Amino acid sequence: MDLCVLSLLSERDYYGYEMVHEISKIIEISEGTVYPILKRLKSEGYLETYLRESQEGPPRKYYRLTTDGKRKENEIRNEWISFSKKVNYLLKINNRSE
């Protein structure tokens, strides 16, 4: 899930609920999953927050990547691509044997 959060934030800044909504379009996820990830990534120095006024209520806390967060996103993105290529290769082998 870290990669999903960091990847979204590599595109633009998001507030928490908005991020949950975006991820939920693709993967079934709850707020209770995303907020602890955001908190941990922030404490690890990969994210920073700021408040932005909202026309629909109180100010919202937005998250953005730090320089270290951009490096981390790139690192785990490359790990995922390598891992998924290997899994896809194995799946193709298994499909041929059926």
Side-chain angles (χ1 to χ4, degrees):
M1 288 310 309
D2 288 11
L3 179 55
C4 295
V5 169
L6 293 171
S7 180
L8 274 180
L9 290 169
S10 72
E11 297 171 10
R12 68 175 179 86
D13 301 353
Y14 281 86
Y15 62 93
Y17 178 77
E18 180 184 31
M19 195 175 312
V20 171
H21 181 72
E22 283 300 309
I23 295 171
S24 294
K25 290 178 183 177
I26 311 293
I27 302 168
E28 190 172 322
I29 193 168
S30 70
E31 290 180 44
T33 301
V34 174
Y35 283 104
I37 293 170
L38 291 169
K39 183 177 181 181
R40 180 178 46 78
L41 291 172
K42 185 177 183 227
S43 72
E44 291 173 349
Y46 299 129
L47 305 179
E48 57 189 18
T49 59
Y50 62 93
L51 292 177
R52 183 186 294 169
E53 291 297 320
S54 169
Q55 296 176 356
E56 301 166 3
R60 292 179 173 150
K61 184 193 292 187
Y62 278 77
Y63 294 85
R64 70 174 152 224
L65 293 179
T66 62
T67 301
D68 286 343
K70 291 174 186 174
R71 279 194 286 266
K72 184 66 171 178
E73 189 271 339
N74 191 52
E75 174 189 321
I76 62 177
R77 176 187 294 269
N78 289 334
E79 289 172 2
W80 175 259
I81 290 169
S82 175
F83 174 77
S84 64
K85 282 181 182 177
K86 293 171 186 172
V87 170
N88 286 336
Y89 176 78
L90 291 172
L91 292 174
K92 287 177 187 172
I93 288 174
N94 287 336
N95 286 336
R96 286 186 215 149
S97 65
E98 292 180 4

